Amino acid sequence: MPTPDADTRIDRSGNRPSRLARLAAVGGGALLALTVPLSLGAGASSGSSVVKEATVGSLGKVLVTGGGLTLYHFTQDTKNTATCTGGCATEWPPLFLAKGVKTPVGGPGVKGLGTAKWADGKLQVTFHGEPLYRFVGDTAAGQAKGENVGGTWFVVKTTAATTTKKSSAPSGGYGY
């Protein structure tokens, strides 16, 4: 399973700790409180909440990271089970909780967050049981370049009726 890189983690306010904060945390210094609840993968941005709701273009209200990066779900996943691993997870970084953190944090109005446990013990954030991912092609807040990639990747809508689009035919791959 993929391993989150310490430099891609963020603190509870959604900010990546500085190099000094990371060194202090490793050394047991007073800045230990800046250790991180989430690992967002490469290209993570800062923000005020771990998972929040935002309007992204014509897609409407979707879930985003604290830094505003759009979150996606993979239609080949099953409830609380991620199937995007290996090379797939390089293009679609899973939204992991940091080691020791057990509960995801949602911004105002975000309900239905949970976790899915990976074989290596890492906890991936879920929304109503759907594992959450980012797309490496989204480099700034408000982008949704991963929408409908391969007919299997979709933004996570915040209303239950529009959250999931399931494919009836197998994709034969990761859809990226």
Side-chain angles (χ1 to χ4, degrees), residues 65-156:
T65 66
L69 294 174
T70 303
L71 291 169
Y72 298 87
H73 70 96
F74 183 41
T75 60
Q76 303 304 308
D77 286 346
T78 58
K79 187 170 183 161
N80 294 315
T81 304
T83 59
C84 177
T85 61
C88 176
T90 301
E91 295 293 316
W92 299 93
L95 185 63
F96 287 117
L97 292 178
K99 186 176 181 179
V101 176
K102 302 292 181 202
T103 307
V105 177
V110 176
K111 296 182 187 326
L113 295 177
T115 59
K117 191 171 188 174
W118 282 40
D120 62 3
K122 289 181 184 65
L123 296 175
Q124 184 175 3
V125 179
T126 63
F127 182 65
H128 297 289
E130 293 181 336
L132 300 179
Y133 304 86
R134 284 193 327 92
F135 177 53
V136 296
D138 291 345
T139 57
Q143 294 179 340
K145 295 176 183 175
E147 172 65 5
N148 200 19
V149 168
T152 58
W153 288 96
F154 298 93
V155 298
V156 181

Side-chain angles (χ1 to χ4, degrees), residues 54-62 70 142-144 147 155 157 162 165:
T55 300
V56 174
S58 64
L59 296 170
K61 292 185 179 193
V62 302
T70 303
Q143 294 179 340
E147 172 65 5
V155 298
K157 301 277 187 161
T162 58
K165 290 184 180 180

